[in-house]
């Protein structure tokens, strides 16, 4: 992966998950909802089988996704971590705005 692609990917994941998290936090009035949902989203990004497999055959699905998570390259880990950082920053921003007197919905 090119360094420019890497930086743009990190920035895109940060902005994408910041925006989604900010909107969900604003609508649901919970500052950290997306930070708790993000690991499930990572599973959906990393795995290559349907989400229902986790319920129909969990003994096969969880070891497979665990091996896929372990075999991620460092670049992929940084990109996914930047998305998680976006969810955390959105929670901090929402808390700051609410503390400053802004009421969203």
């Amino acid at each position: 992966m090119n360094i420019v692609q890497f930086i743009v990917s990190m920035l895109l994941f940060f902005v994408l998950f910041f925006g989604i998290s900010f909107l969900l936090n604003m609508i649901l009035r919970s500052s950290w909802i997306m930070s708790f949902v993000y690991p499930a989203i990572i599973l959906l990004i990393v795995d290559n089988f349907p989400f229902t497999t986790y319920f129909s055959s969990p003994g096969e699905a969880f070891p497979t996704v665990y091996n896929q998570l372990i075999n991620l390259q460092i670049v992929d880990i940084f990109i996914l971590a930047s998305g998680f950082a976006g969810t955390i920053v959105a929670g901090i921003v929402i808390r700051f705005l609410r503390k400053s007197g802004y009421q969203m919905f």
Side-chain angles (χ1 to χ4, degrees):
M1 177 179 275
N2 190 354
I3 189 72
V4 175
Q5 290 175 333
F6 174 64
I7 292 171
V8 168
S9 297
M10 284 182 60
L11 182 65
L12 283 175
F13 261 68
F14 182 85
V15 169
L16 174 75
F17 284 104
F18 176 86
I20 293 171
S21 179
F22 189 85
L23 290 174
L24 279 177
N25 289 338
M26 190 169 55
I27 292 170
L28 299 176
R29 299 190 60 88
S30 172
S31 297
W32 304 108
I33 189 79
M34 191 65 183
S35 296
F36 293 117
V37 174
Y38 191 74
I41 293 172
I42 287 179
L43 291 179
L44 292 174
I45 292 172
V46 171
D47 68 2
N48 56 358
F49 46 83
F51 187 70
T52 56
T53 309
Y54 290 108
F55 301 108
S56 62
S57 59
E60 183 180 315
F62 285 108
T64 303
V65 78
Y66 177 74
N67 286 335
Q68 290 174 345
L69 285 172
I70 294 298
N71 293 329
L72 283 177
Q73 294 181 357
I74 193 74
V75 174
D76 297 328
I77 293 171
F78 276 117
I79 292 170
L80 293 172
S82 68
F84 186 63
T87 62
I88 292 174
V89 170
I92 293 170
V93 168
I94 284 284
R95 286 184 146 249
F96 175 74
L97 287 173
R98 286 192 182 130
K99 189 181 278 188
S100 297
Y102 293 97
Q103 292 183 5
M104 282 110 2
F105 299 119

